[in-house]
């Protein structure tokens, strides 16, 4: 299996639930990212990990908690979410943290908060 | 204030037509990338431009980076239904990892 894989593809949860999104990359990259894509808004960078260290937290609410156990895996733990958190959550990876490098995206998890 | 403005927001054309979409900013970027995102999928990189005035061609797609590195355009010749998708531009302001994305242009090419 190659590329960036995200699971689940779709998730419906209540505001009091706890769930996790998973991202796995098979490209040998060292940097991984979480983005939020909402209708009528630009892609919003949420978190960046470079060599397993978190290097960016873009003022994301604490109800989103990332975890990067190794360079190939990235999780986004969700708890007590709000309806406005419904969106497509995209994971990406790149070779290192250089802005010129291409980012390889997964196909996203479509999250709906009831 | 959005850093990267893309226009038009929506574009619907017939197969065989030519089109140009734009990505504009008041800020200077060290590099700019164009991605295409098809329904149900993540964005896929098309091109990276780094030099002011640079022109890159990818089959029927022509990308140009403005001389001042504040804007870019994507021109598609003889559009095909397979070109349908959301075209995103993303700029980088240095050697860091952070990309700033525009809202995108949603292109529909009708057979």
């Amino acid at each position: 299996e190659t590329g960036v894989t995200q699971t689940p593809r779709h998730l419906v949860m209540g505001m009091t639930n706890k769930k996790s999104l998973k991202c796995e990359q098979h490209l040998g990259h060292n940097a991984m990212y979480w983005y939020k894509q909402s209708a009528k808004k630009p892609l919003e960078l949420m978190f960046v990990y470079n060599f397993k260290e978190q290097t960016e937290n873009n003022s994301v609410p604490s109800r989103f908690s990332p975890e990067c156990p190794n360079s190939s895996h990235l999780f986004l733990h969700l708890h007590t979410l709000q309806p406005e958190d419904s969106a497509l959550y995209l994971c990406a990876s790149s070779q290192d943290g250089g802005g010129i490098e291409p980012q390889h995206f997964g196909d996203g998890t479509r999250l709906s908060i009831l | 204030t959005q850093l990267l403005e893309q226009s038009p927001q929506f574009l619907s054309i017939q197969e065989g037509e030519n089109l140009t979409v734009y990505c504009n900013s008041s800020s200077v970027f060290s590099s700019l990338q164009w991605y295409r995102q098809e329904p149900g999928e993540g964005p896929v990189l098309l091109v990276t431009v780094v030099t002011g005035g640079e022109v890159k061609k990818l089959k029927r797609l022509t990308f140009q980076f403005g001389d001042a590195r504040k804007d870019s355009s994507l021109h598609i010749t003889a559009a095909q239904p397979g070109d349908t998708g959301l075209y995103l531009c993303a700029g980088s302001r240095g050697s860091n990892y952070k990309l700033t994305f525009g809202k995108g242009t949603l292109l529909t090419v009708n057979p």
Side-chain angles (χ1 to χ4, degrees):
Chain A
E1 192 174 358
T2 58
V4 180
T5 304
Q6 290 188 242
T7 55
R9 291 297 310 276
H10 302 272
L11 179 61
V12 179
M13 56 187 286
M15 288 191 284
T16 58
N17 291 157
K18 288 185 180 181
K19 295 286 184 183
S20 296
L21 310 185
K22 180 182 176 182
C23 176
E24 185 173 0
Q25 58 97 0
H26 305 272
L27 299 168
H29 290 167
N30 296 305
M32 296 188 77
Y33 314 76
W34 279 117
Y35 287 89
K36 176 182 180 183
Q37 188 173 34
S38 306
K40 300 182 182 179
K41 286 187 176 181
L43 250 69
E44 299 172 59
L45 179 65
M46 300 175 71
F47 300 104
V48 182
Y49 279 81
N50 207 10
F51 292 92
K52 301 189 297 177
E53 297 296 320
Q54 186 180 132
T55 53
E56 179 87 16
N57 177 338
N58 207 23
S59 302
V60 180
S62 59
R63 56 186 184 270
F64 294 91
S65 175
E67 180 191 359
C68 188
N70 55 62
S71 293
S72 298
H73 294 85
L74 186 64
F75 295 90
L76 188 61
H77 303 300
L78 316 171
H79 64 97
T80 324
L81 294 194
Q82 304 298 309
E84 62 265 27
D85 297 323
S86 297
L88 180 68
Y89 289 83
L90 290 162
C91 172
S93 70
S94 66
Q95 183 60 52
D96 289 299
I100 195 172
E101 296 168 4
Q103 293 189 11
H104 297 254
F105 286 83
D107 289 335
T109 294
R110 174 68 63 184
L111 177 64
S112 299
I113 306 300
L114 300 178
Chain B
T1 302
Q2 187 183 339
L3 211 51
L4 278 170
E5 296 277 352
Q6 289 192 245
S7 60
Q9 190 176 352
F10 301 97
L11 185 57
S12 181
I13 63 171
Q14 293 301 121
E15 183 175 1
E17 292 182 7
N18 301 333
L19 67 115
T20 303
V21 298
Y22 301 92
C23 175
N24 295 304
S25 176
S26 57
S27 303
V28 175
F29 289 94
S30 57
S31 66
L32 198 136
Q33 299 176 350
W34 284 92
Y35 290 80
R36 179 171 64 214
Q37 184 175 18
E38 298 184 21
E41 299 182 8
V44 175
L45 180 72
L46 297 174
V47 77
T48 300
V49 286
V50 298
T51 305
E54 182 177 4
V55 176
K56 280 193 173 179
K57 292 193 174 184
L58 184 65
K59 296 183 181 177
R60 293 175 295 99
L61 279 59
T62 302
F63 303 86
Q64 184 161 10
F65 201 13
D67 291 340
R69 290 185 289 133
K70 292 183 179 181
D71 54 84
S72 181
S73 63
L74 159 59
H75 181 80
I76 302 179
T77 303
Q80 299 177 0
D83 296 327
T84 293
L86 179 67
Y87 287 81
L88 297 163
C89 67
S92 173
R93 293 173 125 187
S95 59
N96 66 53
Y97 40 74
K98 199 167 178 177
L99 283 178
T100 300
F101 281 83
K103 290 185 182 180
T105 293
L106 185 60
L107 172 66
T108 302
V109 182
N110 302 297

